[in-house]
Amino acid sequence: MSLNEICELGVIGLTSLGQSLAAHHAIKKRRVCVYDYDDPSFAPQVIKEFRTSIEQDDDDINDDDDPALNTTRPSRCMVPSNSIKEFATIISTPRKIIIFGTHDDDKKFDDIWNELRVNLTRGDMVLRWGEEEGSMMTHPSDQNNLQFYTESIVGNLSKLQAEPLGISLLEMVKLEQDRAAIIRESDIQDTFVVGGPE
């Protein structure tokens, strides 16, 4: 594998948000490796559509003088992967990986994590893109249906499996309402909140 094939970012789960994030970085000429856990054959389709949509912009690039420019065309900055193992080898270290499409399926996330973690190394960062839902585990004494990190699958896997290996495993959660006041009043110390009224 040449240095021109190494990617800066990895996206697992080609949901509409996953595709948008990958396209945003590819347009900025950052190489992104994409993989769809549910259907690995979907990644080449996504890339084909992306390349078609930005073909005109690529035609404006004159790479006759420098063949290396061909690999930095935005249309060449999104790279498919057929397996999680291949996916992990294509991303430069420390790896930055975002997983989409598992916010309502902890078992699916656990399956992806178990396959991915054996291919990770110290310093890598994995972010699960989540969404607050009524079905998520909540703090037993809380009436506001607030999930605490220490009770989530990501919190547990982070403490038990990722941290001992020097890997950062995080979860980004879209909150349905401002939770800053609720968290400030709680006795939970393992929670980090951005935003909310001061």
Side-chain angles (χ1 to χ4, degrees):
M1 178 181 331
S2 75
L3 288 177
N4 290 333
E5 295 170 328
I6 298 294
C7 295
E8 299 172 55
L9 177 68
V11 173
I12 295 176
L14 295 176
T15 63
S16 58
L17 192 54
Q19 290 179 47
S20 294
L21 182 111
H24 170 78
H25 285 280
I27 287 169
K28 300 289 184 186
K29 297 182 181 178
R30 291 183 198 102
R31 293 182 58 82
V32 182
C33 182
V34 295
Y35 174 73
D36 194 73
Y37 188 77
D38 295 324
D39 181 6
S41 68
F42 186 53
Q45 294 173 10
V46 169
I47 291 171
K48 182 179 179 183
E49 288 178 26
F50 171 72
R51 287 180 177 167
T52 301
S53 71
I54 63 164
E55 221 169 48
Q56 180 59 43
D57 293 338
D58 269 5
D59 289 342
D60 294 338
I61 298 172
N62 183 359
D63 57 9
D64 294 336
D65 298 332
D66 187 358
L69 285 177
N70 189 42
T71 61
T72 57
R73 288 174 172 246
S75 66
R76 301 293 181 244
C77 288
M78 197 182 297
V79 179
S81 176
N82 296 313
S83 69
I84 287 184
K85 185 175 183 176
E86 178 187 51
F87 173 86
T89 62
I90 294 173
I91 304 167
S92 64
T93 56
R95 294 172 188 87
K96 296 171 278 304
I97 298 168
I98 304 175
I99 300 174
F100 292 94
T102 65
H103 68 273
D104 59 351
D105 191 344
D106 284 350
K107 179 173 180 347
K108 179 178 173 182
F109 177 78
D110 191 41
D111 291 346
I112 293 170
W113 168 251
N114 285 325
E115 199 172 329
L116 181 63
R117 74 182 164 105
V118 297
N119 297 291
L120 300 176
T121 56
R122 180 171 294 284
D124 290 349
M125 190 275 302
V126 178
L127 175 69
R128 179 190 194 190
W129 193 268
E131 182 175 316
E132 183 180 47
E133 296 184 284
S135 63
M136 296 174 95
M137 293 176 66
T138 60
H139 190 272
S141 64
D142 185 45
Q143 299 172 2
N144 294 303
N145 199 28
L146 176 64
Q147 178 183 8
F148 285 86
Y149 182 72
T150 54
E151 298 166 332
S152 74
I153 187 172
V154 173
N156 289 325
L157 290 173
S158 179
K159 286 195 185 302
L160 297 173
Q161 296 177 0
E163 287 176 14
L165 298 174
I167 298 166
S168 298
L169 177 59
L170 310 163
E171 183 168 28
M172 175 72 73
V173 179
K174 174 188 164 195
L175 298 176
E176 294 297 323
Q177 59 182 333
D178 181 17
R179 302 296 184 147
I182 297 167
I183 291 171
R184 280 191 200 100
E185 294 170 8
S186 76
D187 60 349
I188 302 297
Q189 301 300 314
D190 288 349
T191 307
F192 179 74
V193 176
V194 176
E198 287 300 318

